[in-house]
Amino acid sequence: MAASDELRFPEFEEAAELLAAAPGATTASASERPSHTALDVGPGYEEAEPGEDADNAELLGGQKQKQPRSFWTFEYYQAFFDVDTHQVLDRIKGSVTPLPGRNFVRHHLRNNPDLYGPFWICATLVFALAISGNLSHLPEKRASPSFHYSPQFHKVTIAATVVYCYAWLVPLALWGYLRWRQGSGARAGTYSFLETVCVYGYSLFTYIPAAVLWLIPAAWLQWLLLAVAALLSASVLALTFWPLVRALALLAAVVALHALLAVCCKLYFFQRPPSAGPAPSPLHATLGTEPHRSRAPQHFANLSQAASSRQ
Amino acid sequence: MAAAEGSGVGGAAKPLFAGLSDVSISEDIPVEGEITVPVGSQSPDEDYSTLDEPVRDTIMRDLKAVGKKFVHVMYPKKSSALLRDWDLWGPLVLCVSLALMLQDGSADSKDDGGPQFAEVFVIIWFGAVVITLNSKLLGGTISFFQSLCVLGYCVLPLTVAMLVCRLVLLAGSGTVSFIVRLIVVIAMFGWSTLASTAFLADSQPPNRKALVVYPIFLFYFVISWMILTFTPQ
């Protein structure tokens, strides 16, 4: 019919416009002309295989961008927990194996930073430090008869404050600095805040086995473990940030802060126990002079314990 | 009824409802009646008529619900009773009793001893909230309070372990007592973790189960640690 022929042309144009607007859409045209039929299925959201180059990562990253949700909705935060078990395990493995070619953010995160890893690794580290630190005092019980075991639960609070502040404030400072440098036109491309937090969180994983192994009372082994753990995680950080900022000063600061955290934790939580005295203040511990300072409180503690036992 | 009356009065010869639109009711015909809905005796609805029952019934009902959930925790089968009628009485009682039993620990100085009451309380409740948020963010289908309920009730084996530890410590605090306490605490820790996993694991997406179970493991591990390191003065 003439009427339907006239109607067919604008319909085709409309469909062509729609196809141009959404090239990934699946369309099926009802017209007889085979050239109209366009069954274009967009590439699927399959997980990227390890070993894919950066181009594919960028492509998948662009497709994965969802609508930006409001900050106050639950779904906004659900986007940060969009990981499976094997992905988390893969990221943990990546954080302990710093290979020169692999950038942790590009290779392991692939535009899908998560908050699960950083949060629970920090929680585990807090309790590992507090518990192993407490257990390391136990062998002293055999040494001195006046030693009285105490759980020292306040150390959990201190450990939590230290670890969580490090894992959140240092990435914030680093990210802010990198943004400021990017704003002044220094280098294109930077990591998002979440990716920075993610890298720092996963890099703290090496300290967990170190904290547990610090129970072994050999001092040389403890320092060796500290060096190995700090080296591993600091090199992961360095490899991640090196392509972004080729300034040795910044990298040195990052590495130094990381090592400083390890040293402070070891000195504070695994100090020679003050036996029955009150715990020395953190200031004494980080100055590294605890063997001398612990003598004085010990005298007072012995006196106080004798007094209390006489009641 | 009024319309039918009207059509009967206005057009008796017309077919049914034919001239309904033309009907008008004249003013002097009284149109009135009574519309009553037969109301039977009100069914004894739990939610509305508990005001008149004796206080003993109210308390016993809640106590029985709590007790039934304790039994479900001690013999964890895959039943949904714990999840369906959640309540937070049981967790509150358990948390308070555990925190009270952890008091009077060794404390040479004010802050050198075991956890304070507030610390135990915060760890249990804040820990349960964080784990619930974690499982919901990972895509779990369980509701917030149901998860809190399960995690709180599964502290029951550890509370029993605390009781046993305190009794054993009354007898003595040597190596044998430590080994007994260690075994009891480890067994109860395993029981708690298995019980809560049995209730919570079904509501998680299948490839994230380990991600949800690990924080629960950490939570009960910390509570077990607090129980094991309790040393009396």
Side-chain angles (χ1 to χ4, degrees):
Chain A
M1 318 282 263
S4 63
D5 274 340
E6 280 168 10
L7 284 174
R8 220 190 272 172
F9 246 3
E11 213 175 333
F12 168 60
E13 274 171 0
E14 219 175 87
E17 273 172 24
L18 284 173
L19 265 177
T26 309
T27 60
S29 172
S31 153
E32 284 112 24
R33 285 193 246 174
S35 61
H36 291 189
T37 330
L39 283 171
D40 191 22
V41 182
Y45 281 165
E46 67 261 12
E47 276 307 320
E49 321 296 319
E52 261 184 283
D53 50 331
D55 291 339
N56 269 346
E58 281 302 311
L59 188 65
L60 285 171
Q63 279 178 350
K64 256 198 147 120
Q65 261 171 14
K66 311 172 184 53
Q67 246 69 3
R69 307 269 186 170
S70 159
F71 180 72
W72 303 108
T73 64
F74 192 70
E75 286 77 21
Y76 178 82
Y77 296 100
Q78 228 169 0
F80 305 144
F81 282 77
D82 195 15
V83 279
D84 293 338
T85 311
H86 68 91
Q87 278 178 290
V88 171
L89 290 176
D90 176 58
R91 289 172 187 193
I92 290 178
K93 269 194 293 228
S95 75
V96 294
T97 54
L99 296 175
R102 294 195 177 177
N103 185 340
F104 184 80
V105 171
R106 294 279 169 247
H107 188 82
H108 288 276
L109 291 189
R110 290 179 184 274
N111 290 321
N112 187 20
D114 69 303
L115 281 182
Y116 177 90
F119 183 78
W120 288 110
I121 289 179
C122 288
T124 312
L125 181 63
V126 163
F127 289 114
L129 279 175
I131 292 178
S132 325
N134 197 234
L135 279 178
S136 71
H137 297 336
L138 271 185
E140 298 300 317
K141 190 172 180 180
R142 317 231 184 264
S144 78
S146 68
F147 175 70
H148 188 71
Y149 171 74
S150 59
Q152 288 185 320
F153 204 75
H154 66 289
K155 298 218 167 171
V156 171
T157 325
I158 295 176
T161 315
V162 167
V163 170
Y164 275 101
C165 279
Y166 180 80
W168 286 85
L169 293 183
V170 172
L172 181 68
L174 188 61
W175 172 78
Y177 175 73
L178 288 175
R179 280 294 255 241
W180 170 67
R181 285 195 65 220
Q182 188 200 23
S184 62
R187 184 163 291 272
T190 180
Y191 301 136
S192 73
F193 173 60
L194 272 176
E195 285 169 342
T196 323
V197 166
C198 211
V199 165
Y200 263 88
Y202 277 104
S203 74
L204 283 176
F205 177 79
T206 44
Y207 290 156
I208 297 177
V212 173
L213 285 175
W214 276 339
L215 278 176
I216 305 172
W220 65 269
L221 184 65
Q222 289 177 347
W223 286 105
L224 182 67
L225 278 172
L226 187 147
V228 167
L231 198 65
L232 274 180
S233 50
S235 40
V236 168
L237 285 177
L239 283 172
T240 307
F241 288 108
W242 174 250
L244 211 57
V245 47
R246 300 187 182 259
L248 270 181
L250 184 70
L251 277 188
V254 163
V255 169
L257 258 180
H258 212 65
L260 186 69
L261 174 78
V263 169
C264 286
C265 283
K266 181 196 178 305
L267 287 178
Y268 180 62
F269 292 103
F270 293 87
Q271 55 195 294
R272 300 320 239 154
S275 49
S281 69
L283 191 56
H284 292 173
T286 51
L287 286 179
T289 58
E290 351 76 39
H292 305 288
R293 305 269 177 164
S294 63
R295 303 253 183 247
Q298 196 175 349
H299 289 301
F300 291 115
N302 283 343
L303 285 175
S304 70
Q305 191 161 39
S308 64
S309 66
R310 226 176 277 133
Q311 64 181 348
Chain B
M1 274 185 3
E5 258 189 81
S7 74
V9 165
K14 291 184 192 163
L16 204 59
F17 301 130
L20 206 54
S21 52
D22 307 331
V23 160
S24 65
I25 300 172
S26 52
E27 297 290 337
D28 48 356
I29 298 177
V31 177
E32 55 182 81
E34 245 183 58
I35 301 179
T36 53
V37 175
V39 176
S41 64
Q42 204 159 15
S43 56
D45 200 355
E46 295 266 356
D47 290 356
Y48 293 110
S49 62
T50 58
L51 202 56
D52 296 328
E53 63 178 12
V55 173
R56 212 188 82 149
D57 283 355
T58 315
I59 295 182
M60 287 311 292
R61 185 173 50 238
D62 281 335
L63 276 182
K64 277 196 206 134
V66 169
K68 209 159 59 146
K69 292 203 190 65
F70 279 164
V71 170
H72 275 293
V73 168
M74 293 314 271
Y75 301 104
K77 298 185 290 282
K78 293 247 171 164
S79 80
S80 60
L82 202 68
L83 295 180
R84 249 196 334 252
D85 319 310
W86 60 266
D87 74 271
L88 293 178
W89 281 115
L92 181 68
V93 164
L94 288 173
C95 176
V96 167
S97 52
L98 187 62
L100 281 177
M101 283 197 277
L102 278 169
Q103 294 308 293
D104 305 325
S106 73
D108 296 314
S109 74
K110 185 170 61 81
D111 55 354
D112 204 24
Q116 306 293 319
F117 184 93
E119 280 171 340
V120 177
F121 218 81
V122 162
I123 282 187
I124 292 185
W125 285 102
F126 189 63
V129 165
V130 164
I131 292 178
T132 307
L133 280 179
N134 178 62
S135 79
K136 283 188 79 71
L137 282 169
L138 281 171
T141 54
I142 201 170
S143 96
F144 182 77
F145 284 107
Q146 280 174 349
S147 173
L148 276 187
C149 170
V150 168
L151 288 169
Y153 269 103
C154 290
V155 173
L156 174 68
L158 286 170
T159 310
V160 168
M162 183 71 217
L163 201 61
V164 170
C165 282
R166 280 210 88 143
L167 293 175
V168 167
L169 278 170
L170 280 180
S173 55
T175 313
V176 174
S177 114
F178 175 73
I179 293 189
V180 169
R181 281 186 290 141
L182 183 68
I183 293 177
V184 167
V185 168
I186 288 181
M188 292 300 164
F189 160 66
W191 201 335
S192 280
T193 311
L194 285 175
S196 61
T197 312
F199 286 116
L200 289 178
D202 285 338
S203 61
Q204 306 303 325
N207 49 348
R208 297 179 183 183
K209 278 205 167 63
L211 295 185
V212 172
V213 168
Y214 171 69
I216 300 178
F217 169 87
L218 188 65
F219 176 63
Y220 289 122
F221 182 79
V222 169
I223 299 181
S224 317
W225 172 255
M226 288 196 295
I227 292 175
L228 190 59
T229 61
F230 173 77
T231 49
Q233 258 174 349

